[in-house]
Amino acid sequence: MGLIFSQRVGRWCFVTFALGIAGFIWQAHAQGDNARASDSQPKYGVNKPLGDTYAEVRSVADEQTRIVFYRASARDAAGVISVYLNGRYHASLQKDAFTVVCFIGKKTDVRTRYLPNHSADIRPELDTHFAIAMSGGESVYLRITEIAGNTSRIDPVTAQVALKDLTDAQQQMHTLSRVPNAQTCREAEETRFAFDPNIITFGSDAIFEHRKTEIHAISTQGRQELKQIVEKINVKYKTFKAVKVHVVGFADDEADDTLNRRISEERAKSVRAFFKAQGLRSTTLTHEGRGAEEKQKAKLFGLSPRRVEVEVAVELR
């Protein structure tokens, strides 16, 4: 009897242990599934429809026109105003919301429809129509408001007016644009970088011997100065996202302009290669030769005609 009881107890302990292990595994899988489901959920939706607040950009790519639509703030604003571009749905703006889109072309048609609440009947016709004459490299600001009779209107406004209205506006995020030729806005390339006004000119020891172009045609002390310039650039601009360094070479004032140009080009090229070998921190490292140009500047400021100058540009963003 005691033996049978012990065997039954042993079986129940085993069953209990097995069930516990199974439960632990199921719970782990459930937690993993929940985590994956959470990760796959969109960041924005009906419960969180708005994103970041509005931030003005410095410029727009030359070939693009940037259009900013926003719904003006109103105390009793309700519902949404849907925006259609070239006959295709783009977004539905809530109170204090905006949306930005860029196009390439000369004209874009904008239409809107006001929907006061989710249960209202959707009219087949749209409320208003506005044609945008687009010009590349510019921003267009359109303020959209609801008016009496459950309709909406579109008003073009200046950048100054729009920026004031958009102070507390947030980006409309939970709607999905159906406009096929809409583009992500890009910044104009030339305005992303600003040149440091302090052009670095080598000292009197860091100039090339007459008609020479190789790096060893600069004295040992001169090459040390070049290393110090590398260190200075690496330290001064280390926090910038991107740095452009441009090396400009000049030449002796020979009678042959072609020879001057070649000498200056080779000098700039030699310094560029030296900078690269010394680990200069730069996104872009370019060079050019200007021959015997700027002779008057050299005389006026006591500069050598065999000098090399370094221009540094840093990304503004």
Side-chain angles (χ1 to χ4, degrees):
M1 179 67 73
L3 179 61
I4 294 172
F5 178 77
S6 298
Q7 290 175 342
R8 288 178 177 175
V9 171
R11 290 193 193 100
W12 278 110
C13 288
F14 174 77
V15 171
T16 302
F17 176 75
L19 289 174
I21 292 296
F24 175 78
I25 294 173
W26 177 84
Q27 185 178 14
H29 278 293
Q31 289 177 346
D33 291 340
N34 289 337
R36 285 190 292 273
S38 177
D39 291 340
S40 64
Q41 290 178 354
K43 184 177 180 181
Y44 298 100
V46 175
N47 295 325
K48 188 183 178 184
L50 302 179
D52 295 335
T53 55
Y54 180 79
E56 180 65 340
V57 300
R58 296 181 59 89
S59 64
V60 185
D62 291 341
E63 69 277 14
Q64 291 184 326
T65 298
R66 175 174 171 265
I67 309 174
V68 181
F69 303 93
Y70 70 95
R71 190 173 174 192
S73 176
R75 184 180 303 174
D76 56 350
V80 296
I81 299 179
S82 295
V83 179
Y84 297 81
L85 304 177
N86 298 326
R88 302 296 294 272
Y89 173 81
H90 174 62
S92 294
L93 296 178
Q94 298 174 237
K95 172 187 175 183
D96 292 327
F98 74 90
T99 180
V100 179
V101 64
C102 276
F103 286 100
I104 294 178
K106 296 188 177 184
K107 182 181 178 181
T108 295
D109 290 320
V110 183
R111 293 178 182 268
T112 58
R113 175 192 283 129
Y114 176 52
L115 189 66
N117 56 66
H118 68 278
S119 61
D121 292 333
I122 299 178
R123 299 185 307 277
E125 70 279 3
L126 297 174
D127 298 339
T128 188
H129 169 258
F130 185 84
I132 302 175
M134 301 194 301
S135 179
E138 295 183 357
S139 292
V140 176
Y141 302 88
L142 297 180
R143 181 170 59 194
I144 301 173
T145 55
E146 65 273 20
I147 57 177
N150 285 342
T151 60
S152 56
R153 61 179 289 172
I154 304 170
D155 293 301
V157 297
T158 65
Q160 291 77 11
V161 171
L163 292 178
K164 184 177 180 180
D165 290 341
L166 286 161
T167 301
D168 298 317
Q170 292 178 271
Q171 187 173 10
Q172 192 77 57
M173 299 295 294
H174 81 293
T175 56
L176 182 63
S177 177
R178 301 292 196 275
V179 182
N181 56 339
Q183 298 184 348
T184 301
C185 297
R186 302 189 308 277
E187 203 170 350
E189 186 67 23
E190 65 271 15
T191 62
R192 288 178 53 206
F193 288 84
F195 274 96
D196 188 322
N198 300 311
I199 295 176
I200 303 170
T201 302
F202 301 164
S204 58
D205 292 321
I207 60 175
F208 288 84
E209 296 177 14
H210 183 66
R211 286 200 173 192
K212 296 295 182 66
T213 61
E214 64 275 10
I215 197 66
H216 289 288
I218 299 176
S219 67
T220 303
Q221 186 175 348
R223 293 196 298 275
Q224 185 60 36
E225 184 177 339
L226 299 187
K227 293 179 181 179
Q228 291 172 357
I229 289 175
V230 171
E231 183 179 356
K232 182 188 298 184
I233 292 174
N234 287 348
V235 171
K236 183 175 181 180
Y237 304 110
K238 66 179 180 181
T239 60
F240 287 87
K241 181 179 178 180
V243 178
K244 289 184 176 181
V245 177
H246 187 58
V247 181
V248 182
F250 293 89
D252 311 82
D253 190 10
E254 302 288 342
D256 188 343
D257 289 337
T258 302
L259 178 60
N260 283 329
R261 182 70 64 178
R262 183 185 64 78
I263 291 174
S264 65
E265 177 78 17
E266 290 297 322
R267 285 173 175 171
K269 187 176 180 180
S270 295
V271 173
R272 176 183 179 275
F274 183 83
F275 279 172
K276 192 173 182 179
Q278 294 298 315
L280 178 71
R281 181 192 179 279
S282 66
T283 310
T284 306
L285 180 56
T286 56
H287 72 281
E288 70 169 304
R290 295 182 185 170
E293 295 177 10
E294 302 184 20
K295 291 182 288 185
Q296 297 303 320
K297 174 184 173 182
K299 292 179 181 178
L300 182 62
F301 293 97
L303 301 174
S304 169
R306 304 194 298 275
R307 72 192 185 281
V308 174
E309 295 180 346
V310 180
E311 299 172 352
V312 180
V314 294
E315 190 169 8
L316 295 170
R317 297 188 301 184

